Amino acid sequence: MRVLVGVVGLSRRFAALVVLGFVVLGALGLRYSAGHLGIDTDTDHLFAASLPWRQAQMEEARQFPQFDGLIVAVVKGAIPEETQETARALNAALNRDKTDFHDSSYPAGEAFYAREGLLLLPTGQLATLLSQIVAAQPFLGQLAADPSGRGLANGLSLLTQGVSAGADLTPYDGALKAVAASLRAAAAGRPEPLSWAGLIGGGLESGPAMVLAHPVLDQGDLQPGGVPTAALMRMAAALPDVKAGRVHVDYTGDIPLSDEEFASLTQGLAAGGAVSVVLIATWLFFAVRSWRLIVPILLTLAMGLVLTVSFAAVTVKVMNLISVAFAILFVGLAVDFAIQFCVRLRDVRVHEKALGRALEETARQAGGQIALAAIATSCGFLAFWPTSFIGVAELGEIAGAGMFIALICTLTFLPALLVLFQPRAEGREIGLPMGRRVDGWLKRRRGLVLGGFAVLGMAGLVAGTLVKFDANPLDTKDPDTMSMRTLSGMMDNPQTNPFYADMLAPNLGAARALGAKLAGLSGVAEVISGATFVPDDQAAKLAMLAQAQTILAPTLQAASAPPAPAPSADALRAAFAKTAADIAAVRTKLPPGAPLVEIGAAMATLAHAPDAEVLAANDALVRYLPQALAQLGESLSAQPITAANLPASVARDWFLPDGRVRVQVVPGQEAATTAGMKAFAKSVLAVDPKAGGPAVETLETARTILGAFREAALLAFIAIAVILAVVFRDAREMAQVLATLLLSCLLTALFAKLAGVEINYANIIALPLLLGVGVSFNVYFVMNYRAGLRRFWASATARAVLFSALTTGTAFGALAASADRGTASMGVLLLISLAAVLVATFLFLPALLYAQKDA
């Protein structure tokens, strides 16, 4: 205590020199920080690289770098042909832009899939598809000979002959409905291209197309991928079908996700900071009632923050998405020390008017309490320092050191400023209004109060077992950003679900065996591996393709012949009229709702349409027909696939140079929840403990975070208990503080459950921090009680604690109002824990102290 009094005494005697020294130190620190402190938005770096699952993650990124550092353009068209055409054009444009992109690829657009794609189908599915194509040979022959609306009409007339003979067209309803929709649109004067993928290709090519681009990043920018992402969207907007509104291009990927994370983190930061400063100044006014005290407090807070930033620049150098929150946490917590000092100074100056002696007396009365509070709060932060959860470990390191910096500033810089500002002496006591009445009620009703809190504590214990931990890192991101909206839409499709699992098999045979085993697991939607691209039963499949090629030879030859002149409008009208009449003749033999009826009605309308509408309809109907026929001929000419003749672009995604084969397991809808994802990851790990990928990494992330929390909570509790034992040297006083702290934890669990708050990797820092904050408030009252003060609400300490909590709550509120969901969840949980601490400190602790025999 003498040391603290001596430090304050020296600071007030050499006030001008102390202030100047701090200003110079702060200026040097700011200059250094501006050039040496950076921010890392990569959430992978929130965890120690030494962790086994992080080692596996980094090894996979090294082996398959093409899947890392991506902007993924997701192309969705009204029909598959428009999707593919736009994806190819976008991929070509991206590859031409060497300023913004290293490279780009459109995997599904590889010639390999057009040529050998049918061999990749299961044998049964291929047989069904080929049977449908062969059965439609007469129809296809008409189209091949006359690839126009007239040929389509003639082919449909052939179908009516089948209906007359009793043929069932139900298997072709899907294809005929597409024809009906296109004809209906054309008859209405708004022709839309007809997709031939469904009519000829069996609808195999559907869903969005993904273009994978590696951007050139500007590491000096806070959003390194912002310029390439904007360039991609400009290129997409210029493509014809995008302009026409028939194709939409969205984006996602780790690069834009990180950029948007930081954008949401900084969104409204200046405005929120300004509002927080105004509110904090307001609370300070009600706490100390004089600008001569308010300004020194704010300057002390600013100086402590500047020095803490400088500490971060020297030690951490690069902050992450969690540790950047230290600034708001510092403001919210460090202000307590300055408020305590100044409010207690006001109380001392009721009797001691001389500022110099009052400063030293305040240090004697409150200096030890403030120091103990600072140490306890720092323990709450520093407890995370040794853990593998680097995100909060860095936050703990910075903010923990910041508490000591704030303590030093409070006992040196603040007294020096107060000497320069010369606040007036006080004329009356400054406890809370009606404080004596509340103290009297708590003393009389202490048994009732303690009993009520016993019930609340039991409820909190139950609630603690029910509070869920959300391990999904996507749940802490803003769902309204482009990347997150796109990613959420992809989760419904097994081919694009981002939470898959990966593993490596030693060879193709092992990959097939492993794939078969994984496919049998509950919750697995699909297994893809290198073996998928070197399929079994190729001899049988090639024989089936050769047979179909022989049957379709006349059709394919006609399709490869030079195209005949396009029919005139009159010829088209005549063909449409004939087909409409043919359909009308068999209408009674068609089932209700048959698409052929709708086709006949649309053709009857087109038979009387103007030339321009008829020709436009013809163009829309056959725009993609020639390429569909050409695609059919090429796919029927497939050649055997081996691991040796796979295209390099396909092989590098599934094979390593040493022969190992990548196996990917995609979950079903069950994995959309955290519990489902955990179950999926556990089942995969039971098959292969070395499995990796996003699903496994999510499970391991949860384990790492919960392990870090348990470790940090235990360390914080032990450290605080040791500090209390050393300071109090009284088991009863130590138990009173710890009991109040335990109740604060239980109330936090109860309030969180009632508010529907879940624990996640961003807000879990609030829980060990609760220990430090709770102890700091409790210590003030217990040490006052030890000194003989039997007033709680009526004391200057209560006033200081209340307004300190309000300023702390304002800072936490700024976090809760953040556009970043992870940061916001941290702020919400901190507010909840602060409320729990206040309830326990202001109601439970006084009742507990009044229950002592000497009360």
Side-chain angles (χ1 to χ4, degrees):
M1 194 67 67
R2 292 179 187 173
V3 173
L4 300 181
V5 174
V7 168
V8 171
L10 285 173
S11 298
R12 64 103 175 171
R13 283 193 289 274
F14 299 98
L17 190 60
V18 169
V19 170
L20 179 61
F22 269 98
V23 169
V24 171
L25 186 61
L28 292 174
L30 281 178
R31 182 175 180 180
Y32 182 84
S33 300
H36 294 81
L37 187 61
I39 296 177
D40 181 4
T41 60
D42 191 337
T43 54
D44 287 340
H45 297 164
L46 294 176
F47 303 94
S50 58
L51 289 166
W53 65 268
R54 279 284 289 132
Q55 290 284 315
Q57 182 186 50
M58 290 185 292
E59 178 63 13
E60 184 173 4
R62 185 188 66 80
Q63 293 167 338
F64 300 100
Q66 62 270 34
F67 301 131
D68 197 30
L70 286 172
I71 300 176
V72 179
V74 180
V75 184
K76 299 178 184 177
I79 58 176
E81 289 91 339
E82 289 177 324
T83 298
Q84 297 155 19
E85 191 173 71
T86 301
R88 288 190 181 92
L90 178 60
N91 183 51
L94 292 170
N95 276 312
R96 288 193 298 269
D97 181 5
K98 296 304 180 184
T99 301
D100 297 308
F101 296 93
H102 294 293
D103 57 63
S104 175
S105 64
Y106 171 33
E110 293 284 347
F112 168 78
Y113 296 106
R115 192 174 56 248
E116 272 77 50
L118 293 181
L119 286 178
L120 303 181
L121 296 177
T123 305
Q125 186 179 352
L126 176 61
T128 300
L129 173 61
L130 292 177
S131 296
Q132 291 175 353
I133 294 174
V134 169
Q137 198 273 341
F139 179 72
L140 294 176
Q142 290 287 339
L143 292 172
D146 184 5
S148 68
R150 180 178 58 194
L152 174 61
N154 292 337
L156 292 169
S157 289
L158 286 177
L159 292 182
T160 64
Q161 296 176 21
V163 173
S164 297
D168 179 15
L169 299 185
T170 304
Y172 302 100
D173 274 0
L176 292 174
K177 284 179 181 178
V179 175
S182 183
L183 284 167
R184 185 172 62 246
R190 44 178 181 78
E192 297 177 355
L194 173 61
S195 172
W196 289 92
L199 279 69
I200 296 178
L204 295 178
E205 298 177 351
S206 60
M210 289 189 288
V211 178
L212 314 180
H214 286 100
V216 176
L217 302 177
D218 180 3
Q219 299 296 351
D221 196 304
L222 295 177
Q223 296 179 51
V227 172
T229 302
L232 182 149
M233 294 307 289
R234 282 196 305 272
M235 294 178 206
L239 299 175
D241 286 329
V242 176
K243 281 184 176 180
R246 293 186 55 79
V247 176
H248 298 279
V249 178
D250 301 322
Y251 61 79
T252 187
D254 52 341
I255 297 301
L257 281 169
S258 292
D259 285 350
E260 289 171 352
E261 179 91 357
F262 188 75
S264 65
L265 192 66
T266 57
Q267 181 181 341
L269 191 61
V275 171
S276 295
V277 170
V278 171
L279 285 174
I280 288 173
T282 301
W283 300 132
L284 289 177
F285 171 76
F286 287 114
V288 297
R289 299 283 185 175
S290 170
W291 70 269
R292 296 176 185 271
L293 291 171
I294 294 172
V295 174
I297 291 174
L298 291 176
L299 291 176
T300 301
L301 196 59
M303 181 57 68
L305 182 58
V306 166
L307 295 179
T308 304
V309 170
S310 305
F311 171 83
V314 172
T315 57
V316 175
K317 295 181 177 61
V318 179
M319 293 187 293
N320 57 62
L321 286 171
I322 294 179
S323 61
V324 293
F326 87 90
I328 295 177
L329 291 176
F330 177 90
V331 170
L333 297 171
V335 73
D336 170 59
F337 311 147
I339 290 176
Q340 281 290 336
F341 192 92
C342 288
V343 171
R344 300 289 283 275
L345 173 66
R346 289 184 65 199
D347 190 50
V348 168
R349 295 198 73 191
V350 172
H351 306 290
E352 177 56 72
K353 306 300 181 182
L355 179 60
R357 287 194 294 272
L359 286 170
E360 294 183 14
E361 178 59 21
T362 301
R364 188 188 66 78
Q365 291 185 15
Q369 296 179 13
I370 294 172
L372 181 56
I375 294 170
T377 306
S378 183
C379 285
F381 281 115
L382 292 176
F384 263 112
W385 194 7
T387 71
S388 299
F389 189 4
I390 298 299
V392 291
E394 288 182 359
L395 175 61
E397 179 184 357
I398 298 169
M403 293 302 99
F404 285 106
I405 291 171
L407 175 64
I408 293 170
C409 290
T410 300
L411 298 178
T412 55
F413 188 60
L414 179 59
L417 287 173
L418 291 171
V419 169
L420 298 181
F421 278 82
Q422 287 293 312
R424 297 186 182 91
E426 297 293 329
R428 58 186 176 84
E429 294 184 351
I430 56 172
L432 293 175
M434 301 187 67
R436 292 182 183 275
R437 291 187 182 182
V438 176
D439 283 335
W441 184 87
L442 285 171
K443 188 171 186 178
R444 291 191 304 273
R445 305 292 183 184
R446 56 188 179 271
L448 178 63
V449 172
L450 293 176
F453 275 110
V455 173
L456 289 176
M458 292 300 296
L461 188 62
V462 173
T465 64
L466 300 176
V467 173
K468 302 288 181 64
F469 178 76
D470 184 359
N472 190 341
L474 297 181
D475 288 344
T476 63
K477 299 181 184 293
D478 183 356
D480 296 324
T481 62
M482 169 73 80
S483 293
M484 277 303 300
R485 288 198 307 269
T486 305
L487 195 60
S488 297
M490 294 167 65
M491 292 182 69
D492 295 333
N493 185 345
Q495 294 179 342
T496 57
N497 191 315
F499 288 110
Y500 55 84
D502 269 340
M503 54 208 73
L504 289 172
N507 51 54
L508 274 174
R512 288 193 176 94
L514 180 59
K517 191 172 184 179
L518 291 166
L521 296 177
S522 174
V524 170
E526 187 177 25
V527 179
I528 308 170
S529 74
T532 305
F533 302 91
V534 188
D536 290 326
D537 300 328
Q538 289 193 56
K541 292 177 183 178
L542 287 167
M544 293 163 60
L545 292 176
Q547 183 180 21
Q549 188 180 42
T550 300
I551 296 171
L552 295 170
T555 298
L556 299 175
Q557 288 172 3
S560 62
S568 66
D570 288 336
L572 288 166
R573 274 191 289 264
F576 292 155
K578 178 182 180 303
T579 301
D582 291 342
I583 293 173
V586 299
R587 181 166 183 174
T588 57
K589 295 185 178 182
L590 294 170
L596 208 57
V597 175
E598 193 174 356
I599 289 172
M603 284 193 165
T605 301
L606 287 169
H608 300 89
D611 288 2
E613 288 187 16
V614 173
L615 293 174
N618 180 68
D619 290 341
L621 288 169
V622 299
R623 174 179 171 183
Y624 293 112
L625 176 57
Q627 74 181 54
L629 291 169
Q631 170 66 50
L632 175 61
E634 186 175 9
S635 62
L636 293 177
S637 303
Q639 298 299 311
I641 307 171
T642 66
N645 68 12
L646 271 177
S649 57
V650 176
R652 71 177 185 141
D653 290 348
W654 298 99
F655 294 87
L656 290 176
D658 60 7
R660 284 181 292 170
V661 184
R662 177 170 165 247
V663 180
Q664 185 180 89
V665 196
V666 182
Q669 286 294 323
E670 300 89 341
T673 64
T674 296
M677 194 188 312
K678 286 182 179 179
F680 168 74
K682 286 181 179 178
S683 66
V684 170
L685 287 170
V687 175
D688 183 357
K690 295 181 180 180
V696 174
E697 289 162 10
T698 298
L699 177 66
E700 296 298 337
T701 295
R703 288 175 176 170
T704 300
I705 292 172
L706 290 174
F709 161 66
R710 286 191 288 266
E711 182 182 348
L714 181 61
L715 288 174
F717 185 83
I718 292 174
I720 289 171
V722 170
I723 292 167
L724 293 176
V726 170
V727 172
F728 287 128
R729 298 180 183 177
D730 185 306
R732 184 175 65 175
E733 291 178 345
M734 180 178 169
Q736 289 164 346
V737 173
L738 294 178
T740 308
L741 191 60
L742 175 61
L743 179 64
S744 299
C745 295
L746 295 175
L747 290 178
T748 297
L750 177 60
F751 295 166
K753 183 61 182 176
L754 293 175
V757 175
E758 292 186 337
I759 307 301
N760 57 53
Y761 78 86
N763 65 23
I764 199 169
I765 181 64
L767 301 179
L769 184 57
L770 163 65
L771 301 177
V773 177
V775 166
S776 66
F777 286 172
N778 299 336
V779 158
Y780 296 135
F781 282 129
V782 173
M783 293 187 77
N784 282 350
Y785 191 92
R786 166 186 267 197
L789 183 64
R790 297 297 183 264
R791 292 177 296 145
F792 298 99
W793 282 64
S795 67
T797 300
R799 185 184 190 89
V801 168
L802 175 62
F803 286 102
S804 173
L806 289 172
T807 54
T808 300
T810 298
F812 291 171
L815 287 175
S818 171
D820 180 73
R821 295 184 78 188
T823 303
S825 70
M826 183 193 298
V828 169
L829 194 55
L830 285 169
L831 281 173
I832 289 172
S833 65
L834 179 64
V837 166
L838 284 177
V839 170
T841 300
F842 274 92
L843 295 175
F844 173 76
L845 181 57
L848 184 64
L849 291 172
Y850 280 134
Q852 295 180 197
K853 291 182 180 180
D854 59 344

